[in-house]
Amino acid sequence: MAPIPGSGLAKGLAVTLRTMTKKSVTEQYPDVQPDLPPRTRGVIGLFEENCTVCMLCARECPDWCIYIDSHKETIPAATPGGRERSRNVLDRFAIDFALCMYCGICIEVCPFDALFWSPEFEYAETDIHELTHERDKLREWMWTVPAPPALDPGAEEPKELAAARKTAEKLAATQAAQTTPASQAAQTAPAAPTAPTAPTAPTAPTAPVEQPEPPADRADARPGPTEPPADRADTRPGPTEPPAGRTDAKPGPNPEPESGSNPESESGPNPESGPNPGHGPTASEGGAS
Amino acid sequence: MNDALDVALRLLIVFVVFLTFPLIVGQTEHKVMAHMQGRLGPMYAGGFHGWAQLVADGVKFAQKEDVVPAGADRRVFQLAPAVALLPYLLVLVAIPIGPDEGAVGQVLDAGIFFVLAVMGVGVLGSLMAGWASANKFSLLGGLRTAAQLLAYELPMLLAAASVAMAAGTVSLPGIVDAFEWWWLPWQIIGAIVFFVAGLAELQRPPFDMPVADSEIIFGAYTEYTGLRFALFLLAEYAGIIVLCGLTTVLFLGGWHGPWGADGLGWVWTLLKSAVLAFIVIWLRVTYPRLREDQLQKLSWTLLVPLSLAQIALTGIVKVVIQ
């Protein structure tokens, strides 16, 4: 059936009239802040407490817009007769946002979760040189990083959670075995000496031997993702002990350099990660233990 | 003395209407067009929803330099905006908005003749501008304007003639006085033809081929800046007022309405005109520009036959009811 002549014209009029009665889509930006999704790529924030000056971000950056300066500091041996440790201290961390193309590779590549996307976007400058933002400014932007959106209801369990839960379960099993009657204790006894160390801090026993310092940090950051595990540990029966178990498990020299190496950064991140629960994985180890 | 004062007062009122109503239509166009496109339109000027946007525009236009191209025909170039604008002011004098003596600037016995003749002069302004600018785009625009005037003046006149036949008078208040409600269906074809032809004569979208900014910059107005350019724009919006007022008076019964006949007739006239002005804006937002050949075809193959048919219908009915 052929359309009625002029029906197209009427349709056109209807479209415009209908649009007029609908709410307009204009964002009144300077008056009303835009409602940005949490993963918006506005600016890159630096969580400098997590930075180990590994330079991976600077090296991976496709347009070389990250500037990092650092120096080495030597930390006296913790125990008499022990070996001195050295570590990198961050002097300068700057991102030239005039060069940055917002690819996010630095954020992806950071092994210590020191870089984050923030939806903050109002940092225009009148001089292009002022777009090179230094660490204090980058650190300030961390406050604007929102919590990551929750996983989908049916989503796979995050790897960090799975690993931590496995550890906790193992530990719980061991402890349960220890508390059970002697006959069963006899069975688990051979395994007991290794178990407490291995599951809690897998790198700890080996790492300190060759490279004392960075592994200490790494041990901080890696199992770090244990804030969620900490939650889990609460829900699980035994694993309230894992932190305790860890400190127990690490033989003498290890804990001390760790706690002594960067006391501020270890206590620092935790209150700061408080307001941004999303950073849990980054700075959480102290909080968990 | 009293007569002089009376005339002065009437002219003053017409002048004020001439200056304010186009701005109101213009502001309405800003807002309606914006919302029809899912936008908000001006929001800042004047504070409340940008009500003073056109005032701000006027200030801006007034500040601009008035440039006359070196090769232009200086006199004609400078005179053109006035020629484009003044006819609409003159037409406004003759449009009655209410039944009594005081509601029209000047009662003219040959109202329709006067109105249509003077409105035709308005197009001369565009022709002069196009010819005098020494610019090929202006010239093209001017020629298109001329072609459009030729094509659409005829159906417009024929449609108006149909109403004059029906009323038996060419006086505008006389036509409205003779109006009965059933004229509406009787003259509906003529009304549509008149309105569409009027739109084309005003060069309003979708009949804005003469100024088609995507192909000939801004047609005859390409070389104009500042206040003279603003006058051309004002002429367009004054033209909308005149066209809507005329359509109301000729085809929609002017001050006749379902109620409020005594004293409030002018409200009906204004209301009907406002609705028509909204339709003018609505059409502009909705339809794309007609190509030059489509524009001519629409007039010669559709509007002219329709208006002739309307005249025939008017004549037949007129004979039958007598």
Side-chain angles (χ1 to χ4, degrees):
Chain A
M1 175 186 147
I4 307 160
S7 64
L9 296 178
K11 239 181 242 171
L13 289 173
V15 167
T16 42
L17 196 64
R18 214 178 310 129
T19 312
M20 192 180 72
T21 56
K22 279 186 199 147
K23 201 175 175 320
S24 63
V25 296
T26 307
E27 294 258 355
Q28 293 188 279
Y29 156 59
D31 299 330
V32 182
Q33 283 295 316
D35 188 19
L36 294 170
R39 293 195 194 261
T40 304
R41 297 180 167 207
V43 75
I44 296 168
L46 168 70
F47 194 55
E48 65 179 53
E49 288 84 345
N50 273 1
C51 180
T52 62
V53 203
C54 70
M55 303 288 290
L56 279 181
C57 49
R59 278 188 293 170
E60 292 297 327
C61 177
D63 38 17
W64 294 93
C65 68
I66 302 181
Y67 305 93
I68 300 179
D69 290 339
S70 70
H71 68 272
K72 226 166 216 168
E73 272 181 7
T74 308
I75 299 156
T79 48
R83 187 182 156 188
E84 284 185 336
R85 314 280 165 130
S86 64
R87 68 186 187 104
N88 273 329
V89 177
L90 188 64
D91 291 329
R92 178 183 187 219
F93 194 108
I95 299 179
D96 186 352
F97 285 101
L99 287 179
C100 177
M101 60 181 188
Y102 300 86
C103 62
I105 289 177
C106 53
I107 292 164
E108 291 297 321
V109 84
C110 179
F112 305 114
D113 285 339
L115 291 170
F116 289 89
W117 278 120
S118 156
E120 178 63 38
F121 61 96
E122 289 173 313
Y123 51 96
E125 300 286 352
T126 47
D127 185 347
I128 199 169
H129 301 298
E130 287 163 20
L131 273 173
T132 306
H133 288 295
E134 298 293 333
R135 62 194 279 191
D136 46 345
K137 185 83 181 174
L138 297 176
R139 180 64 185 84
E140 259 167 50
W141 274 322
M142 273 312 291
W143 299 103
T144 63
V145 176
L151 292 174
D152 290 341
E156 195 183 332
E157 188 179 39
K159 268 183 230 148
E160 294 91 336
L161 289 194
R165 190 165 51 82
K166 224 169 163 185
T167 311
E169 268 168 9
K170 245 187 212 167
L171 197 73
T174 336
Q175 281 170 347
Q178 280 167 353
T179 51
T180 42
S183 62
Q184 283 177 10
Q187 288 173 1
T188 52
T194 56
T197 56
T200 50
T203 53
T206 56
V209 179
E210 311 133 47
Q211 266 187 339
E213 213 292 315
D217 266 1
R218 198 154 294 161
D220 261 357
R222 261 298 161 58
T226 44
E227 191 181 29
D231 289 350
R232 197 161 289 268
D234 290 349
T235 60
R236 304 236 134 234
T240 37
E241 285 89 339
R246 182 173 306 164
T247 44
D248 288 351
K250 280 174 193 161
N254 197 14
E256 271 97 271
E258 196 179 325
S259 58
S261 63
N262 44 3
E264 307 117 36
S265 70
E266 216 167 64
S267 60
N270 301 324
E272 276 152 3
S273 70
N276 302 324
H279 306 148
T282 69
S284 49
E285 149 107 279
S289 49
Chain B
M1 180 60 209
N2 207 6
D3 278 357
L5 192 69
D6 186 52
V7 168
L9 202 62
R10 278 164 190 267
L11 289 184
L12 185 70
I13 290 173
V14 168
F15 191 63
V16 167
V17 165
F18 180 72
L19 286 184
T20 53
F21 277 35
L23 294 187
I24 295 172
V25 171
Q27 181 68 18
T28 313
E29 179 171 38
H30 267 317
K31 287 312 235 183
V32 168
M33 186 152 76
H35 281 277
M36 280 183 171
Q37 294 167 342
R39 300 182 286 118
L40 287 172
M43 290 297 283
Y44 281 92
F48 180 75
H49 285 263
W51 66 270
Q53 184 60 48
L54 288 178
V55 179
D57 285 350
V59 172
K60 182 197 75 177
F61 278 130
Q63 288 171 341
K64 285 194 173 181
E65 187 185 0
D66 187 25
V67 181
V68 180
D73 188 340
R74 202 175 175 83
R75 277 279 185 64
V76 180
F77 184 86
Q78 287 178 330
L79 200 61
V83 175
L85 185 60
L86 280 183
Y88 294 114
L89 178 59
L90 290 180
V91 172
L92 217 52
V93 171
I95 295 179
I97 64 161
D100 27 297
E101 267 295 290
V104 55
Q106 178 63 48
V107 180
L108 294 171
D109 284 343
I112 287 191
F113 282 134
F114 173 78
V115 161
L116 293 180
V118 174
M119 265 181 86
V121 174
V123 183
L124 273 184
S126 299
L127 276 176
M128 287 165 64
W131 192 255
S133 289
N135 177 316
K136 61 189 171 203
F137 297 116
S138 298
L139 185 57
L140 276 174
L143 292 179
R144 286 183 183 185
T145 307
Q148 197 154 320
L149 171 71
L150 282 179
Y152 283 89
E153 194 69 20
L154 183 60
M156 199 174 179
L157 282 172
L158 291 175
S162 156
V163 185
M165 277 171 64
T169 171
V170 289
S171 148
L172 290 175
I175 289 174
V176 184
D177 276 334
F179 182 83
E180 304 283 346
W181 68 266
W182 50 268
W183 282 29
L184 209 55
W186 182 25
Q187 300 289 343
I188 185 72
I189 296 173
I192 291 169
V193 169
F194 185 86
F195 192 64
V196 169
L199 277 186
E201 208 155 298
L202 295 178
Q203 301 164 13
R204 288 285 299 174
F207 305 106
D208 59 340
M209 204 61 196
V211 294
D213 51 350
S214 48
E215 31 188 290
I216 51 171
I217 322 297
F218 211 59
Y221 318 131
T222 303
E223 293 290 356
Y224 282 88
T225 56
L227 218 47
R228 289 181 203 277
F229 181 73
L231 289 184
F232 274 120
L233 288 189
L234 186 63
E236 181 178 337
Y237 288 91
I240 294 175
I241 300 286
V242 166
L243 173 70
C244 296
L246 271 185
T247 311
T248 304
V249 166
L250 292 178
F251 295 96
L252 301 180
W255 53 80
H256 294 291
W259 57 84
D262 26 273
L264 284 176
W266 58 274
V267 176
W268 280 109
T269 312
L270 290 186
L271 198 66
K272 289 169 183 173
S273 303
V275 170
L276 285 177
F278 174 78
I279 292 176
V280 170
I281 297 166
W282 191 7
L283 292 174
R284 173 186 176 172
V285 179
T286 306
Y287 296 136
R289 180 185 307 132
L290 265 72
R291 219 168 47 215
E292 187 63 28
D293 61 316
Q294 293 170 330
L295 199 80
Q296 295 291 327
K297 201 177 160 201
L298 177 73
S299 170
W300 294 111
T301 65
L302 191 69
L303 295 188
V304 171
L306 275 181
S307 55
L308 287 174
Q310 174 65 61
I311 286 188
L313 178 70
T314 307
I316 291 167
V317 173
K318 193 76 180 166
V319 170
V320 167
I321 59 173
Q322 263 172 359

